[in-house]
Every structure is written in structure tokens, then in C-alpha cells.
Amino acid sequence: MQINRAVLQILDFSSSLAVYSENELNMGEEALQDYVSAHVTKGIKDPGLRTGYLNETSQLGQALQQYKDGTTDLVTLGKDIGERLFNFMKQATDPVIIDTIICEAADNNSYLCILLCQAHDAYTHQLFNEEDGTLTTELIPNRAVLPSPTQKLRSFCAINLEDFSVRLFEPKGEYDGEVVYILGDKVLQIDTNPSSRDTVSKVRRIVDRVAKAHEGDGVEELVKVRSMISKNAEVSDTLNPETIVDTVFANQPQQKEAAKKALAEQDMLRPLPVNREFATKVGEKHKIKTDTGIEVSFPVEYMQNSEFIEIVTNPDGTLRIELKNINKILNK
């Protein structure tokens, strides 16, 4: 991911102070380019991203259009976004320091990205020359250390500059007595689809709950769910939960009806966007845990092949797990 330009705003909620830069960051510095690029690349693939579209006629939409047209620059746009963030977040955020990087990033598409980097306390060293000429080393606190490239940001937003589609993740905050998403609900003012992680998690929970409510253990059903999600990701970047329910409970009309009712209550009787890389990984392994504390993790396809694993019901109603065709056992 190439970072074409960027500007840094300092939002200090511990002292109610906002500092808006009047100049862009020097993105020609390799270390800085690598740092911002790493966070944008990681953020734009996060399975916790929610998606939506920014209205081009909104105030922020018009400001972005002016940036696209070249009638305003990133410093001006960045200050506008920074002020919006600060005005909303100062009523909803703990007394922390958040360095906000607003940048234009490009790969096959161009994005306007907002990175909220919450500073944390750390320690560093400092050298002192004493009056007698000796050298002293000390540890001193640093109150504004930013997340490393491998750590997750507090919040992230990427707006596609071609179609104004939005990807974002953020924690909720309480604003004016209401728990909301500050970026999504207040700054961007958009409706969003659930994240890939939430979509997959909700489908699995609904199938598991319905299966167990009808005297099943849910293992076979959840394995089918994982397999379908993974195979679907090979050809599509959307997932239709209704199709999954129809297939998993194909011969169980009561379970199917109950599952569809639960999906409808979650507004999930429609195709939903999913991160294909995340969805593919969902179908790799399944993990079960017995009431005796034994945990077993196995490739999903093995559950559909009794040559490798089989769950058998004993005459007394208890279950027996059989693992087959094992040549060697390794301690982990």
C-alpha cells in the first residue's frame, strides 16, 4: 500500500486540547512510509470491518469531492475531519491521547484513510553527563507511545475515493447518553453492514442454538456451516445466511424454520459482505470440547469422512469420539 500524503492531528482528551497540523507529514521518509502503510494494509483487511457507503451530498461527502477535484488540500480536509472527531469524541472518550493520521493511500484503488492511534505509557532511556564527568543512564516515562505496526489501532476507516464505499472498525462510545459508533454514526453518518467476523459468528451461534434446542449436539451442523462458508469464499465476497440454513437443515423443516426466524430477527435474510480470506480460514478447522474437559481440533473435511473421525452414540446415551488411521501422536 503506497501512502501518497498524510497529515497528523493530536487529539488530547486529557487536557481537552486539539492540535491541527498546518503541514503534511514527510512521507518520503522510508520508516514513516512503512509505519503508516503497515497499519493501513492491516486495517483494510481486518475481519472486524463494517461496511457502508458515504452519502456524496453530506457535508463530509462534499468535502471529499472537493478534495478529489483538487479544490481543497489534505491539510484543510484533515483539519475538518479532525475537528469533527474532536467535537464528538470529547464527550464520549476517556482522558487519553489519540494521534489521528489522515492519509491518502493507493493500491489498485485510492482511499482516504483515518487512523486513530491511541497513545499508551511506556519507558525509554536517557543519558546524563554528571558534573564530575561521569555518565548516568536513567529510565524515563514516555506518555505518548503509538501502537507498533503489529498492534491493532483503536479505530480505522478507509473511504474509497471512486465510489465512496466505506470500511471501518471502532469501539462504541457513549455520546449524549446514547451508546454509538462515533466515526460511523456521528462523523460519517452512515448505516453499516455487520463485520465479517460478526456475520460468521451469528450464523454459527444460530445454527448451534437451533440444533441443540432440537436434541442435537450441533457438531455436524457447525462443521457443515464452516465448510459452506469456506467454499463460498472461493467464488464470492458475499455470504447468504439463508442459503446456509436451507442446506444445513435441508431435511429438518422445524429447525430450518426456527433458524430462519432467528436470522430475520438479526436482519440477516440477505446476502452480506464477507472478507474472503477470513471466511476461507473459518473452514479450515473445527474445535470441540467435551464436558469432561477434553478438547479436540481437527480439519473440517475429516468430520465428513468416518475413516478419520467419528462421533458415536453409546447405548446409554453418552457419546464416544473415535480417531482413526493415526500413525503418530505428537505432544504440543
Side-chain angles (χ1 to χ4, degrees):
M1 186 73 69
Q2 173 67 32
I3 309 300
N4 294 331
R5 50 185 57 86
V7 64
L8 173 67
Q9 319 289 13
I10 302 172
L11 309 182
D12 186 348
F13 298 101
S14 62
S15 59
S16 297
L17 175 67
V19 180
Y20 305 111
S21 177
E22 297 178 348
N23 296 284
E24 293 184 11
L25 291 170
N26 180 10
M27 296 312 300
E29 292 188 11
E30 184 177 355
L32 183 55
Q33 176 73 218
D34 290 346
Y35 178 79
V36 179
S37 177
H39 275 303
V40 171
T41 301
K42 184 179 179 181
I44 217 163
K45 295 180 179 180
D46 194 290
L49 288 169
R50 294 174 293 119
T51 59
Y53 284 89
L54 180 66
N55 189 335
E56 296 183 22
T57 62
S58 67
Q59 286 187 334
L60 186 55
Q62 292 180 46
L64 272 180
Q65 189 61 53
Q66 291 173 358
Y67 175 70
K68 281 181 60 178
D69 296 340
T71 56
T72 191
D73 57 22
L74 187 66
V75 171
T76 303
L77 177 62
K79 183 179 181 182
D80 180 21
I81 294 174
E83 288 176 339
R84 293 171 188 268
L85 278 168
F86 187 74
N87 289 335
F88 286 119
M89 293 183 71
K90 67 183 180 182
Q91 301 182 52
T93 305
D94 294 330
V96 295
I97 299 173
I98 297 178
D99 283 8
T100 303
I101 300 172
I102 299 167
C103 65
E104 180 188 319
D107 50 12
N108 296 325
N109 299 292
S110 292
Y111 302 94
L112 192 285
C113 299
I114 306 170
L115 289 67
L116 270 60
C117 313
Q118 182 169 326
H120 62 275
D121 293 350
Y123 283 83
T124 187
H125 65 262
Q126 189 164 340
L127 308 180
F128 296 93
N129 286 313
E130 302 292 351
E131 293 182 358
D132 60 3
T134 59
L135 183 67
T136 297
T137 59
E138 290 188 2
L139 288 176
I140 60 172
N142 188 328
R143 304 297 185 189
V145 177
L146 299 187
S148 72
T150 59
Q151 292 176 313
K152 188 170 182 175
L153 300 174
R154 175 193 174 96
S155 306
F156 173 83
C157 172
I159 306 171
N160 189 312
L161 291 175
E162 291 301 316
D163 60 7
F164 282 22
S165 60
V166 177
R167 310 180 198 183
L168 77 161
F169 64 72
E170 60 177 322
K172 281 188 173 182
E174 185 172 340
Y175 176 80
D176 198 21
E178 181 185 10
V179 178
V180 298
Y181 290 112
I182 299 298
L183 266 174
D185 296 335
K186 297 300 180 180
V187 177
L188 302 179
Q189 297 180 341
I190 61 172
D191 294 323
T192 58
N193 292 306
S195 70
S196 299
R197 183 181 286 119
D198 283 345
T199 296
V200 169
S201 178
K202 287 178 180 178
V203 171
R204 289 174 54 199
R205 282 201 302 268
I206 288 171
V207 169
D208 186 45
R209 186 169 65 246
V210 169
K212 289 178 178 177
H214 290 78
E215 300 183 352
D217 56 29
V219 175
E220 183 178 350
E221 289 85 355
L222 285 178
V223 168
K224 286 182 180 179
V225 169
R226 285 181 177 273
S227 179
M228 289 186 66
I229 290 173
S230 180
K231 290 179 179 178
N232 176 79
E234 296 175 3
V235 296
S236 176
D237 56 5
T238 62
L239 177 70
N240 192 333
E242 186 175 12
T243 300
I244 291 178
V245 165
D246 283 337
T247 304
V248 171
F249 297 121
N251 301 317
Q252 300 165 301
Q254 282 188 311
Q255 288 91 321
K256 183 190 297 185
E257 182 181 353
K260 285 191 175 184
K261 181 180 178 181
L263 289 175
E265 291 172 353
Q266 298 281 345
D267 188 26
M268 294 178 67
L269 286 176
R270 57 190 174 94
L272 295 168
V274 291
N275 180 300
R276 295 174 72 169
E277 182 178 351
F278 171 75
T280 299
K281 289 182 178 179
V282 165
E284 291 179 354
K285 291 184 179 296
H286 185 67
K287 185 175 182 179
I288 58 176
K289 183 176 181 179
T290 70
D291 56 2
T292 56
I294 298 173
E295 296 184 9
V296 181
S297 177
F298 53 87
V300 166
E301 62 267 21
Y302 281 16
M303 189 62 195
Q304 300 167 344
N305 189 339
S306 60
E307 292 297 312
F308 293 101
I309 184 171
E310 190 173 9
I311 300 177
V312 181
T313 302
N314 296 317
D316 62 359
T318 60
L319 299 175
R320 182 174 74 255
I321 301 173
E322 296 183 2
L323 305 179
K324 308 174 182 179
N325 292 315
I326 299 171
N327 294 317
K328 184 167 57 175
I329 293 178
L330 303 175
N331 292 311
K332 292 285 188 177

